[in-house]
Amino acid sequence: MDKIVEYYNELASTYDEDRFENEYGKFIDAQERLLLNKLLTDKNDVVLDLACGSGRLLDFASFGTDASEKMLEIAQKKHKNKKLVLSDAEQLQFETDTFDKIISFHFFMHLNDEKIEGILNECHRILKKDGKLIFDIPSLKRRNLFNFKSNGWHGAHSSTIEKLRQHPNFRISNIHGLLFLPIHRFPKFSRRFFIKLDLILSNSFLKEYSSYLVVEFVKQ
Ligand SMILES: C[S@@+](CC[C@H](N)C(=O)[O-])C[C@H]1O[C@@H](n2cnc3c(N)ncnc32)[C@H](O)[C@@H]1O
């Protein structure tokens, strides 16, 4: 089995608590929800959550897929009415031209260029005409600024707006920054002021210096 999938199978039972019950996780989760509410406005859209994991963002989709059986079991318990499918994101079990939107969070950052390319091809195949893929990716410019070195596959991948713009099969229709300031390190009482400032900075001309980029790709 793929080492990343094996890791998530083992982590599954504590994933939600481990990643999203702390201040950092809560902040990221809230920011991602704000963005998804802004980007997913058509209630009739058929939406897939790609690498949905334990179903954290499945409120925004009617279908989910993941390669970890254990993560999917947890997701299915939380979202009984969603159609969840076990599969590798590079070989999806869905028909061509099925989805209006695909969302995928905290996923591409684990993968190498070759794997991401294979997955982007699959997304392109299963998206309808003008369909959109919304995903996050760590910002390389931010990493370079702080001389960040990744340790193994976890968080290994990052990118730049310039590189993302060069993709031959997708065009960018939207880019947001996420997590410019280390909000989770600030005293609780002051955070709400910094959250507003963070939102302004993450979406200003400095957005590429945020920790993450949230990208909306349109199928070409
Ligand atoms: C950090 S979790 C993200 C889960 C969810 N999207 C979220 O934001 O909470 C990464 C997920 O990617 C899944 N994954 C890893 N490699 C995969 C692959 N090749 N195909 C499909 N899913 C994969 C893992 O099983 C895990 O559930």
Side-chain angles (χ1 to χ4, degrees):
M1 188 190 289
D2 179 307
K3 59 179 183 302
I4 305 177
V5 178
E6 202 170 324
Y7 171 89
Y8 281 104
N9 268 333
E10 274 168 30
L11 182 70
S13 61
T14 54
Y15 174 79
D16 286 345
E17 190 188 340
D18 192 72
R19 299 291 160 84
F20 296 102
E21 299 261 307
N22 56 53
E23 291 303 321
Y24 178 78
K26 279 185 191 160
F27 177 78
I28 291 212
D29 180 71
Q31 297 296 83
E32 288 170 350
R33 284 173 192 277
L34 272 179
L35 279 177
L36 286 171
N37 273 317
K38 203 168 144 186
L39 295 171
L40 298 172
T41 47
D42 192 338
K43 298 289 167 229
N44 296 318
D45 275 353
V46 185
V47 182
L48 170 69
D49 185 352
L50 178 72
C52 64
S54 62
R56 181 175 67 94
L57 297 174
L58 267 173
D59 294 336
F60 293 93
S62 38
F63 292 81
T65 184
D66 200 282
S68 158
E69 201 179 341
K70 300 285 178 208
M71 293 290 269
L72 268 193
E73 272 172 26
I74 291 167
Q76 194 73 77
K77 275 191 195 138
K78 288 196 266 177
H79 299 274
K80 297 210 168 37
N81 58 345
K82 310 274 168 160
K83 170 93 179 121
L84 305 186
V85 181
L86 181 70
S87 69
D88 188 290
E90 219 176 340
Q91 288 170 311
L92 294 168
Q93 315 292 313
F94 301 105
E95 301 280 319
T96 298
D97 297 338
T98 300
F99 296 102
D100 298 288
K101 307 259 164 68
I102 299 174
I103 61 170
S104 195
F105 281 77
H106 302 217
F107 180 39
F108 288 171
M109 64 180 185
H110 293 332
L111 311 173
N112 61 31
D113 275 328
E114 197 187 343
K115 185 81 181 173
I116 293 177
E117 227 15 71
I119 294 170
L120 288 177
N121 281 340
E122 269 300 76
C123 290
H124 193 269
R125 181 183 70 75
I126 64 172
L127 277 171
K128 293 179 189 168
K129 183 174 183 295
D130 299 325
K132 290 175 175 168
L133 165 66
I134 300 161
F135 63 97
D136 70 328
I137 192 96
S139 170
L140 179 59
K141 284 204 174 161
R142 164 77 166 227
R143 287 187 164 187
N144 287 344
L145 197 64
F146 292 102
N147 210 8
F148 171 92
K149 296 271 175 296
S150 71
N151 187 9
W153 58 265
H154 208 285
H157 199 87
S158 55
S159 197
T160 61
I161 296 179
E162 194 189 343
K163 184 176 172 205
L164 292 162
R165 275 198 206 292
Q166 285 163 12
H167 202 282
N169 300 329
F170 291 95
R171 121 184 117 71
I172 295 176
S173 49
N174 244 308
I175 293 208
H176 293 266
L178 193 83
L179 203 62
F180 190 92
L181 303 164
I183 301 272
H184 52 293
R185 301 223 170 96
F186 297 170
K188 267 201 176 130
F189 73 89
S190 67
R191 249 178 235 161
R192 66 194 166 105
F193 303 109
F194 288 111
I195 286 178
K196 281 191 187 144
L197 179 62
D198 191 71
L199 277 173
I200 293 168
L201 292 169
S202 313
N203 289 293
S204 69
F205 68 98
L206 291 170
K207 70 170 70 161
E208 222 177 341
Y209 294 96
S210 308
S211 304
Y212 298 92
L213 300 170
V214 177
V215 182
E216 185 181 63
F217 261 2
V218 187
K219 174 173 171 169
Q220 295 299 282

